[in-house]
Amino acid sequence: ILFSNDAFGQHFAVEELYNDKANQCLLMKEALKYYVNILNPFSMLVAKKIDEIMGMGLNISMICPSHGVIWRDNPLQIIDKYAEWSKAYQEDRITVVYDTMWEGTARIAREISHELSLQHPDTVVKVFSVSKSDKNEVMTEVFKSKAIIVGSPTVSNDILSSMSGWLSFLKQLKFKNKKAAVFGCYGWSGEGNRILKERLKDAGFEVIEEEVKSLWNPEAEDFAKVKEMVAKI
Ligand SMILES: Cc1cc2nc3c(=O)[nH]c(=O)nc-3n(C[C@H](O)[C@H](O)[C@H](O)COP(=O)(O)O)c2cc1C
């Protein structure tokens, strides 16, 4: 029996305790959410530890984490998943994350999503407003994505505080091997896009030059910029 403490856990309660008694879809969703939001920064250590444990050639009959299910049915399945997740895991997905005050930046987000579906029909695209979404769910989508597109209007020579907080959390999770692009509305000084780019670079993302920067409300010329940006991401 492996008493793994935090590793292989979830924030998930199952009355009958064991993994085979859980709804499998929910269980794996929660196991991934836990990995992304808590263990992703330690992915290199996770990969090393898994190699070490597997190298011991132990016959593991049960894994008992400090929270979540007890893995008794095929306990190696969660070790296999961790091995996959810890090596810069990626799917053909792009996630759009934004916040807005008067909906202008939201309209650009929706246009980006529409353009992505035209230019990249096989790519799974999800759009999140940070003020209306669970931040751990959003990070799980970022983890699965090959690129993210991030938007905020300019506010008081800065970005919205909701986006600023979200970008701090993004940096903490130490994602690797992902591209990013930015967009947003402004009224006069327009620092928002530059700040978004700096924060994303600082969080380890490869940020592309192409952007959408719209004075007050997006117009046809801004939507033309969406096409260029989506072609480069
Ligand atoms: C409280 C407040 C502060 C703002 N500060 C700035 C600013 O410093 N520089 C700027 O260019 N625009 C500023 N703006 C203008 C907004 O960026 C502009 O209204 C933008 O179109 C809002 O985008 P949204 O529709 O996505 O909320 C400010 C607006 C508000 C309400």
Side-chain angles (χ1 to χ4, degrees), residues 67-87:
H67 23 218
V69 300
I70 293 171
W71 299 90
R72 70 172 177 186
D73 177 45
N74 183 16
L76 291 189
Q77 68 179 290
I78 190 62
I79 298 187
D80 289 344
K81 281 287 171 201
Y82 267 47
E84 224 182 295
W85 295 339
S86 62
K87 288 171 189 143

Side-chain angles (χ1 to χ4, degrees), residues 8 10 12 14 16-28 61-63 65 68-78:
F8 314 122
Q10 323 88 51
F12 186 50
V14 176
E16 300 94 335
L17 300 179
Y18 298 103
N19 68 316
D20 47 293
K21 297 288 184 183
N23 174 316
Q24 298 302 296
C25 201
L26 271 182
L27 171 58
M28 293 321 289
S61 63
M62 233 184 237
I63 300 177
V69 300
I70 293 171
W71 299 90
R72 70 172 177 186
D73 177 45
N74 183 16
L76 291 189
Q77 68 179 290
I78 190 62

Side-chain angles (χ1 to χ4, degrees), residues 100-105 153-157 185-190 216:
T100 184
M101 295 180 290
W102 311 116
E103 284 295 302
T105 305
T154 300
V155 182
S156 304
N157 308 113
C185 296
Y186 71 105
W188 48 96
S189 54
W216 303 116

